[in-house]
Amino acid sequence: MTETDSIAYDVVVLGAGPVGENVADRTRAAGLSTAVVESELVGGECSYWACMPSKALLRPVIARADARRLPGLSQSVQGPLDTAAVLARRDEYTSHWKDDGQVRWLDGIGADLHRGHGRLTAPRTVEVTGSDGVRQVLTARHAVVVCTGSGAQLPDLPTLAEVEPWTSREATSAKAAPGRLVVVGGGVVATEMATAWQALGSRVTLLVRGKGLLSRMEPFAGELVAEALTEAGVDVRTGTSVEAVTREHGTVVVVTDGGDRIEADEILFATGRVPRTADIGLETIGLEPGSWLEVDDSLRVTGSEWLYAVGDVNHRALLTHQGKYQARIAGAAIAARASGVPLLESDPWGAHAATADHAAVPQVVFTDPEAAAVGLSLAEAEQAGHRVRAVDVEMSSVAGAGLYAEGYRGRARMVVDLEREILLGLTFVGAGVGELIHSASIAVAGQVPISRLWHAVPSYPTISEVWLRLLESYRDN
């Protein structure tokens, strides 16, 4: 193992996923020299094992489901999906797990890429060990930014390692549909992958420890998604925990807490995330390895003047779009501090303070039906001490929904702060509702008064007319 001389930069970024890329983009735009350290593929989890491949798998599933609900088209799409074609398109969207294009993008913004495993060894100092064993020492004049993301959390079950379970990575990159698949979990990854693989030919059993699916959303979201999964052929079992799992002669054998024995070809655990901070040298600067990193609204780690943590690692909002938002804030804050400009809360753009990662977080679950939400649920708003009212509307009351599909099913809810008459949260469940959530995010983040929303007229006949129905219901009841 050899070591080169140290190289000084203004900023060193650990992790070249979408979050790290966006930090580097902002710091380079501000004229700061920037190094990016990556041990895997430039583009990170979202590009190769999460957002892009999962949505590429799901899009044909949802398109077929929509088509089957349209007279004049439904009879033409009753057959199975072409699984090989779906997987081939997925492979295209992951660039066949090659990062040449992302590397060219980094080169284009003038950031230096250092491939290898990066570890903090002292304040403002990162040691990078390449696959060839060569070490480089990078020092940062202004900031080191941790953008290493999160990884799948696996339960502590004996023999689990020998089973070689799927995590989200294997679920989105599998080369063929398993004949039988057990999915453990009730959140976004579990419901999306159950949706995808059931449609692609697997017989799916979904084991959920809690009472229902999508527990962080309004209860009706999980109920509607569970109904649809069951209708699609998924065996949904709530209130069920895995007690043991083994692989016998190639077959996965699952034993539940109720004593049921389930056999499958593969098992996917979608049971949570852990920060990828166990081996980045946190102990050398007085922090706990493997911990989430607490930050202020400029994304600077609490108690530090030079260390930032952006994206999943700070545990504020584990979503790619929120991590990219944080990255833009962090990049602006680093640039301002490097130039000696004070960070003013009165900045009209709020460029130096992340607030939307806790006040107005949008999320879409790409199941059939889709579930989309932003802000607080009714329960969260009440727990936070707000005096609120929930307004519910069936999506079938909207003309645009009926045109979208025969027998359209879904529901919308807005949570109104009665003191200020603004919206604290909205949830939509139904086909195509993912495209509604940005308007809801604007209403929540902008604290738009309901009296003004009344004059934001939705086009007819579109699903967006659900806004009018929600406002009418609030006014008239």
Side-chain angles (χ1 to χ4, degrees):
M1 183 177 294
T2 59
E3 183 174 328
T4 66
D5 295 333
S6 64
I7 307 174
Y9 290 93
D10 293 321
V11 180
V12 176
V13 179
L14 282 179
V19 176
E21 288 176 323
N22 273 265
V23 171
D25 185 45
R26 293 295 85 212
T27 56
R28 284 297 303 129
L32 300 178
S33 61
T34 302
V36 180
V37 180
E38 178 53 58
S39 60
E40 296 186 289
L41 296 175
V42 176
E45 200 80 10
C46 179
S47 298
Y48 306 104
W49 300 288
C51 323
M52 299 307 290
S54 68
K55 303 316 169 277
L57 291 173
L58 285 159
R59 180 59 197 142
V61 177
I62 304 306
R64 182 182 67 167
D66 286 345
R68 283 179 169 179
R69 290 188 280 263
L70 284 175
L73 181 58
S74 60
Q75 293 304 312
S76 302
V77 289
Q78 290 302 313
L81 290 168
D82 184 339
T83 300
V86 173
L87 296 181
R89 184 171 182 265
R90 182 271 318 268
D91 293 350
E92 291 178 9
Y93 270 87
T94 60
S95 301
H96 299 274
W97 289 275
K98 296 180 180 178
D99 63 2
D100 302 23
Q102 300 280 43
V103 171
R104 285 194 296 272
W105 182 86
L106 273 183
D107 288 342
I109 66 169
D112 290 349
L113 173 63
H114 295 266
R115 289 195 183 270
H117 180 67
R119 297 185 84 256
L120 290 155
T121 56
R124 305 175 189 266
T125 305
V126 173
E127 183 180 88
V128 184
T129 303
S131 59
D132 56 2
V134 174
R135 293 183 298 177
Q136 279 192 318
V137 176
L138 312 179
T139 59
R141 298 182 189 93
H142 299 296
V144 174
V145 190
V146 178
C147 305
T148 48
S150 64
Q153 182 178 44
L154 291 172
D156 185 16
L157 291 171
T159 73
L160 186 60
E162 289 82 356
V163 172
E164 297 183 332
W166 279 11
T167 67
S168 53
R169 283 196 168 197
E170 290 77 21
T172 56
S173 62
K175 300 303 181 185
R180 300 162 298 174
L181 174 65
V182 170
V183 179
V184 183
V188 177
V189 173
T191 53
E192 288 189 348
M193 290 299 95
T195 299
W197 289 112
Q198 178 72 29
L200 291 169
S202 299
R203 202 162 72 245
V204 176
T205 302
L206 181 60
L207 305 180
V208 187
R209 184 173 59 183
K211 295 179 180 180
L213 307 181
L214 304 176
S215 61
R216 295 186 179 181
M217 287 186 167
E218 299 285 6
F220 66 80
E223 291 165 6
L224 289 168
V225 170
E227 288 175 11
L229 283 171
T230 300
E231 290 175 5
V234 176
D235 181 1
V236 180
R237 306 187 191 185
T238 58
T240 303
S241 296
V242 174
E243 290 290 306
V245 58
T246 56
R247 192 179 284 271
E248 302 173 7
H249 307 294
T251 297
V252 174
V253 178
V254 180
V255 179
T256 71
D257 56 349
D260 292 334
R261 175 186 168 97
I262 305 168
E263 294 187 354
D265 298 290
E266 301 292 349
I267 183 168
L268 162 62
F269 281 95
T271 49
R273 308 289 293 178
V274 293
R276 296 183 67 184
T277 59
D279 189 24
I280 61 169
L282 292 182
E283 68 280 3
T284 67
I285 56 170
L287 297 174
E288 181 181 352
S291 64
W292 303 102
L293 297 176
E294 184 179 343
V295 297
D296 62 19
D297 282 349
S298 71
L299 290 311
R300 189 163 61 175
V301 172
T302 303
S304 176
E305 293 186 354
W306 55 272
L307 185 65
Y308 292 73
V310 186
D312 282 12
V313 289
N314 62 41
H315 207 236
R316 286 165 70 116
L318 277 66
L319 296 160
T320 296
H321 47 276
Q322 293 298 140
K324 292 165 69 173
Y325 161 74
Q326 291 179 2
R328 296 189 291 271
I329 299 294
I334 291 166
R337 287 180 172 128
S339 65
V341 175
L343 304 190
L344 300 176
E345 292 185 2
S346 59
D347 171 52
W349 278 77
H352 305 142
T355 56
D357 55 6
H358 51 80
V361 176
Q363 182 173 22
V364 180
V365 185
F366 293 87
T367 46
D368 175 36
E370 291 179 347
V374 63
L376 302 179
S377 67
L378 174 60
E380 289 170 336
E382 290 175 338
Q383 289 166 8
H386 297 287
R387 190 168 71 88
V388 293
R389 176 182 158 201
V391 179
D392 290 357
V393 167
E394 293 299 318
M395 299 289 291
S396 58
S397 67
V398 178
L403 287 168
Y404 192 96
E406 289 287 298
Y408 190 106
R409 287 185 295 175
R411 188 180 304 172
R413 168 175 288 179
M414 68 179 188
V415 179
V416 182
D417 182 326
L418 295 174
E419 302 290 342
R420 295 178 289 169
E421 286 211 314
I422 61 172
L423 304 184
L424 297 179
L426 291 105
T427 300
F428 303 102
V429 181
V433 298
E435 296 301 335
L436 295 179
I437 205 61
H438 189 59
S439 59
S441 298
I442 292 171
V444 174
Q447 299 185 5
V448 182
I450 286 182
S451 60
R452 293 304 307 153
L453 287 173
W454 183 252
H455 298 281
V457 181
S459 298
Y460 179 88
T462 66
I463 298 175
S464 293
E465 203 177 17
V466 71
W467 277 100
L468 177 57
R469 300 290 170 253
L470 286 165
L471 293 168
E472 285 176 336
S473 182
Y474 177 73
R475 181 197 62 183
D476 298 338
N477 295 289

